[in-house]
Amino acid sequence: MMIRYASYFMAALLPLLLFRWFAPASIGEIDFWLLWLLAMVLVSLPVVYAEIALAYRSVDAPLAGMQKLTREADASPLWRSFGWLAAIVAIIIAALVISGASIGLLSALAELGSAPNLPSFAVAAGLMIIALLLSLLGVAPLPIGLGLMVVGLVMGVTNGLPQVNFAMTEISLTEWARAVALALVSVGAGTGLYWFGQHLVTRQDITALEAGNLHAHDSRASKSANAYRATKLVLPIWILQLLVGVVALFISGLTLPPIGQLLYWAGVVFVASYLLHYSAQQLAHKFGFLVSLLMTLALGVLLVVAIPTAWLVGLLIIISSVAVLLLSIFAGWRMKISHLRKSLNFSSEALYNLWRVAIRLIVPLALIFALIGWVMQWLS
């Protein structure tokens, strides 16, 4: 039962995890809110539709699914790199939030007068090992992580919300870059997480059907095919991203008490375990389960020990942007139109055409301008 809600948990959790890294210094900038809402509609929504459509068409996880889809579309194996990049992006997100958790936990313990005499990178490495062990539980840590994070945030809210002074400021490419980051990687769009979540649900349904008789299998499969619409899956995820994103922006400057920090960062470790589970499952398609676990652990520990947090943010932006660019171009230009129509099953041809224009033109252009904005910020 928990598998069916994995995508919704991630849609609620990722903004709480990542908005703090990409939100502007002043969250009262009205123009930034408008840019973020625009990016959620023009960039995030088409990308989540693409993930769900490719998941439905491939009936497999991203890495294995891209192999099927590229053969079907007679496309270059280069497009399969989306699956590899998606797995790497998930490890980088896990490393970023665990690195933040190590600093947050040490700070909270210091306020309580019981901080261990350990550098933050050593604590981060230990937390990465704990997260990997928790990843063996699959989806199960997600509700625990959400509960701990919410309790920690509520303890902070009881001390008062940060004051927000709304004002219009000058729009710039750097603002657009942050808005796109919040609309994509910060809500999980284009990371393959929703594709993977849909694959888990499909696999669970197939297992349940195979346990029944053949007649039941055929009748349920026919009924499922007739009832399927991508919009029924995409809109609840997207609306949840939007609502939690608004909350995450408002509380991005929230100050938590020490106990609240301990609970929040403990919850972060639980959530990071699912990201590692997702990555390990992708790599297992090529290397086997045990080797994939060791590879995930090695890369995760390397990232938290050797790379500063600010560099992890930059690395995440670059790799996730390339991954989403590959996904949008493949779905928009390389997939067969008939396959996409069936996979999306929109109620009208006009909606399909709008999505196709967005995924082929608007998403790639938005990503290119966002990358230019990030470069301008880094150079300044």
Side-chain angles (χ1 to χ4, degrees), residues 220-261:
R220 288 188 191 180
S222 175
K223 183 178 179 181
S224 176
N226 292 331
Y228 169 80
R229 285 191 188 278
T231 299
K232 293 180 180 179
L233 301 171
V234 171
L235 281 187
I237 291 172
W238 183 79
I239 291 171
L240 187 57
Q241 291 173 341
L242 193 65
L243 294 176
V244 179
V246 170
V247 173
L249 274 175
F250 269 117
I251 64 174
S252 58
L254 192 66
T255 301
L256 303 183
I259 300 299
Q261 291 183 54

Side-chain angles (χ1 to χ4, degrees), residues 24-340:
S26 173
I27 60 171
E29 298 175 6
I30 298 174
D31 48 306
F32 177 82
W33 282 80
L34 295 176
L35 287 175
W36 175 64
L37 291 173
L38 184 67
M40 284 294 293
V41 174
L42 297 182
V43 183
S44 176
L45 187 57
V47 170
V48 177
Y49 265 112
E51 279 198 43
I52 297 299
L54 298 186
Y56 180 82
R57 183 68 194 177
S58 66
V59 198
D60 218 327
L63 190 55
M66 284 301 291
Q67 292 186 359
K68 293 181 182 180
L69 294 172
T70 50
R71 284 196 296 266
E72 215 175 48
D74 195 24
S76 168
L78 174 66
W79 300 105
R80 300 175 188 175
S81 57
F82 167 76
W84 295 101
L85 292 176
I88 293 171
V89 164
I91 298 176
I92 295 174
I93 294 175
L96 177 62
V97 298
I98 284 177
S99 181
S102 67
I103 297 172
L105 288 172
L106 287 175
S107 173
L109 290 173
E111 289 185 50
L112 294 172
S114 57
N117 188 21
L118 291 172
S120 61
F121 70 83
V123 176
L127 292 177
M128 182 64 71
I129 294 172
I130 293 172
L132 187 77
L133 293 174
L134 288 172
S135 73
L136 299 175
L137 300 176
V139 181
L142 285 181
I144 300 172
L146 178 60
L148 290 171
M149 290 174 66
V150 169
V151 171
L153 291 171
V154 168
M155 292 179 70
V157 170
T158 56
N159 291 333
L161 288 170
Q163 186 177 0
V164 180
N165 298 314
F166 289 101
M168 284 293 294
T169 59
E170 185 179 350
I171 296 176
S172 63
L173 271 180
T174 56
E175 268 193 330
W176 174 249
R178 288 183 177 275
V180 170
L182 288 177
L184 286 176
V185 67
S186 295
V187 295
T191 59
L193 284 165
Y194 301 115
W195 181 339
F196 182 66
Q198 183 60 25
H199 159 66
L200 292 179
V201 173
T202 303
R203 188 173 65 182
Q204 185 184 56
D205 289 344
I206 291 173
T207 303
L209 288 170
E210 287 176 347
N213 57 53
L214 182 61
H215 179 267
H217 177 94
D218 291 339
S219 63
R220 288 188 191 180
S222 175
K223 183 178 179 181
S224 176
N226 292 331
Y228 169 80
R229 285 191 188 278
T231 299
K232 293 180 180 179
L233 301 171
V234 171
L235 281 187
I237 291 172
W238 183 79
I239 291 171
L240 187 57
Q241 291 173 341
L242 193 65
L243 294 176
V244 179
V246 170
V247 173
L249 274 175
F250 269 117
I251 64 174
S252 58
L254 192 66
T255 301
L256 303 183
I259 300 299
Q261 291 183 54
L262 292 176
L263 291 172
Y264 176 85
W265 291 117
V268 166
V269 175
F270 275 86
V271 178
S273 72
Y274 179 75
L275 296 169
L276 298 180
H277 168 72
Y278 162 67
S279 298
Q281 289 292 314
Q282 298 307 295
L283 299 176
H285 173 72
K286 185 72 174 179
F287 302 107
F289 180 66
L290 182 59
V291 174
S292 70
L293 276 180
L294 294 175
M295 290 176 63
T296 301
L297 177 62
L299 181 55
V301 171
L302 176 65
L303 289 172
V304 296
V305 170
I307 301 182
T309 303
W311 290 18
L312 281 176
V313 173
L315 190 64
L316 176 59
I317 289 166
I318 293 170
I319 297 181
S320 64
S321 297
V322 173
V324 176
L325 194 60
L326 285 171
L327 177 69
S328 63
I329 295 174
F330 177 77
W333 296 93
R334 301 300 298 169
M335 283 281 288
K336 294 180 180 179
I337 295 176
S338 59
H339 292 171
L340 280 172

